[in-house]
Amino acid sequence: MSVGTAASPAVGARTVPNSGKLLLFYQSAIGKKAIMAVTGLIGFGFVIGHMLGNLQIFLGPEVLNGYALKLHETPVLLYGTRIVLSLAVLLHIIAAAQLTKMNRNARPDGYAKFSPIASTYASRTMRWSGPILAAFIIYHLLHFTIGSVHPNFAFQDEMRTIPAPYENAVRGFSNPFVSLFYIISMILLMLHINHGAWSLFQSLGLNHPRYTPALRTLARGASLALLIGNCSIPIAVLTGVLR
Ligand code: HEM
């Protein structure tokens, strides 16, 4: 039994302040997984909204370029999204790297023999789909937002500040290698989201006999819709549907 006075509380009775509890949670594996889940959900919300916005390309250049113009004329929305998204991606990558390190430290000798039982194909692909997707995002920003790797980047205004996404997508995806890289990245994105949803329910203990399977089916359906919706754009350019 621990004994203490009002001036010097006993060791056993010591309470951890809230800020300390938060730090302990952040440092724990479950804390990192929670960060991955929340930031992953933010990224997921963005890619769904982004795809729906991009699909307006099928409504013609006026509609897609008009949509981009509106976004660029609403700085709160544009920069708010950029800041939240950049922070989410950064925290997602940092937590992933820290979790990998924690897992490695937990078994310093590594597996004596490779055992695929505990990990699914999708979970193994997370290790390389993550870094390839990060490379895709950097290339994509240079391609369609900054335009520095785009051979023929178009703007909507004389000051050359507002990109013309319709022309940029049609010109960019006319290169089959660029389209192929996008399509491969979209397949990886689907695998990544699929497994991300699985580990979200698994690691945060959100397992409910009725709702978990339904939510997983929903995640699967959404990642398939992302694959089809996003790939439809380069395919439509390559087949001449969009020109
Ligand atoms: C074929 C599929 C895609 C197409 C056609 C596409 C198209 C575009 C275009 C045209 C822009 C520039 C918009 C502008 O500045 O007016 C853009 C920006 C962006 N895209 Fe995509 N995108 C695709 C997939 C993705 C995916 C899968 C991700 C994330 C994993 C993504 C993340 C971003 C980000 C972060 C921006 C920057 C937004 C900003 O300017 O703040 N895109 N995309």
Side-chain angles (χ1 to χ4, degrees):
M1 195 179 78
S2 48
V3 180
T5 64
S8 61
V11 172
R14 209 175 59 192
T15 53
V16 181
N18 280 344
S19 58
K21 277 184 197 157
L22 205 65
L23 186 68
L24 281 178
F25 181 66
Y26 171 73
Q27 287 169 338
S28 68
I30 190 79
K32 310 265 178 227
K33 284 178 182 178
I35 287 174
M36 294 211 67
V38 172
T39 54
L41 279 173
I42 293 174
F44 178 69
F46 171 79
V47 287
I48 293 281
H50 188 47
M51 178 191 70
L52 294 176
N54 288 336
L55 285 176
Q56 295 178 76
I57 197 167
F58 292 104
L59 301 177
E62 295 81 20
V63 178
L64 185 68
N65 290 347
Y67 165 70
L69 187 65
K70 254 189 220 129
L71 280 182
H72 283 265
E73 282 174 351
T74 322
V76 179
L77 191 66
L78 184 70
Y79 289 100
T81 308
R82 283 180 177 171
I83 292 168
V84 171
L85 201 62
S86 308
L87 274 176
V89 171
L90 197 70
L91 288 174
H92 196 77
I93 294 173
I94 292 174
Q98 289 172 331
L99 265 176
T100 308
K101 201 171 164 212
M102 281 166 111
N103 285 344
R104 268 201 205 122
N105 289 346
R107 44 179 161 76
D109 298 333
Y111 289 120
K113 195 172 137 234
F114 176 66
S115 156
I117 299 160
S119 62
T120 62
Y121 175 71
S123 83
R124 274 178 275 128
T125 60
M126 289 308 258
R127 281 169 229 152
W128 50 269
S129 66
I132 297 175
L133 281 174
F136 162 78
I137 293 171
I138 293 170
Y139 171 76
H140 182 56
L141 291 177
L142 297 176
H143 191 212
F144 280 157
T145 302
I146 300 166
S148 54
V149 299
H150 198 295
N152 205 355
F153 199 70
F155 291 92
Q156 303 195 43
D157 58 333
E158 302 222 322
M159 301 285 286
R160 298 174 64 82
T161 51
I162 300 166
Y166 187 92
E167 287 73 12
N168 290 332
V170 171
R171 292 172 188 175
F173 291 136
S174 303
N175 181 333
F177 294 108
V178 170
S179 283
L180 187 68
F181 178 57
Y182 269 81
I183 291 170
I184 293 172
S185 303
M186 293 310 111
I187 295 172
L188 292 180
L189 181 68
M190 185 188 70
L191 290 174
H192 200 84
I193 291 176
N194 240 331
H195 181 70
W198 179 82
S199 45
L200 183 140
F201 301 127
Q202 202 73 13
S203 56
L204 295 184
L206 302 175
N207 270 322
H208 186 281
R210 197 196 286 165
Y211 302 122
T212 307
L215 284 171
R216 283 189 62 190
T217 307
L218 196 74
R220 231 176 244 152
S223 62
L224 189 66
L226 269 173
L227 176 72
I228 296 170
N230 280 335
C231 289
S232 70
I233 300 174
I235 291 172
V237 172
L238 287 179
T239 52
V241 172
L242 287 174
R243 57 180 83 206

